[in-house]
Amino acid sequence: AQTVTQSQPEMSVQEAETVTLSCTYDTSESDYYLFWYKQPPSRQMILVIRQEAYKQQNATENRFSVNFQKAAKSFSLKISDSQLGDAAMYFCAYDSGGGADGLTFGKGTHLIIQP
Amino acid sequence: DAGVTQSPTHLIKTRGQQVTLRCSPKSGHDTVSWYQQALGQGPQFIFQYYEEEERQRGNFPDRFSGHQFPNYSSELNVNALLLGDSALYLCASSLEDRTDTQYFGPGTRLTVL
């Protein structure tokens, strides 16, 4: 079974600074998808960024980028120019790509933005 | 374009009761997945519905059952509620051939007393 590990229960960063959230995963598959989701206090799970394992290039979405290290099974999220609205729980998630197995989530990292 | 909607927002039940939660998928989506998120944890996959059939199931007992209607909306039923069933229940929708991209609803907060 696949597992996703987020070793940082909480991270704090000053507004406008850069922060990196860590995620490691375990799988025997060669093709899969990885995601970072944001869950603010409103509870709505919002997709931040998506990475396809067969793509070498790291995904980027505006201020959000990932460092995908397939051999190390590592998938970190970098948030540049942190804003107060970035404060939320961040979850790393894995999908086997087979379709029906559902997403496997880590336990989350609580990101605090200091003004 | 309506996103994923869930009802009710909050629900309080007592042990042993039964509960039904509802989900309407994003317009154009035909596949619905349900997740349970306990306090302080990441969501856990319960099951997925496509073409009114349960396609895959996570590690949840038979007390958890579901249904999908011809309009693709879905229900999650939980029987014989336990205190441990208290959680946020999330519904996610996708296209059958793009289940790698799921859109989540705001969730239903279930409290079992």
Side-chain angles (χ1 to χ4, degrees), chain B residues 8-26:
Chain B
T9 304
H10 296 92
L11 204 51
I12 300 175
K13 292 286 188 179
T14 57
R15 279 181 299 174
Q17 284 189 311
Q18 180 263 345
V19 68
T20 297
L21 311 181
R22 295 176 176 83
C23 171
S24 291
K26 181 179 168 63

Side-chain angles (χ1 to χ4, degrees), chain A residues 35 39 44 50 99-100 103, chain B residues 35 37 56 98-100 104 107:
Chain A
F35 309 86
Q39 188 178 42
Q44 184 102 32
R50 177 179 181 273
L103 297 169
Chain B
Y35 294 81
Q37 186 178 16
Q56 191 63 272
R98 290 303 311 271
T99 52
D100 55 283
F104 283 82

Side-chain angles (χ1 to χ4, degrees), chain A residues 43, chain B residues 9-11 21 35-44 46 60 64 76 81-90 107-112:
Chain A
R43 309 179 323 200
Chain B
T9 304
H10 296 92
L11 204 51
L21 311 181
Y35 294 81
Q36 180 194 67
Q37 186 178 16
L39 197 61
Q41 303 293 318
Q44 284 195 289
I46 302 174
F60 280 82
F64 290 77
L76 164 66
L81 284 167
L82 304 174
L83 295 179
D85 295 332
S86 294
L88 180 67
Y89 288 84
L90 296 167
T108 293
R109 170 73 66 191
L110 173 64
T111 301
V112 182

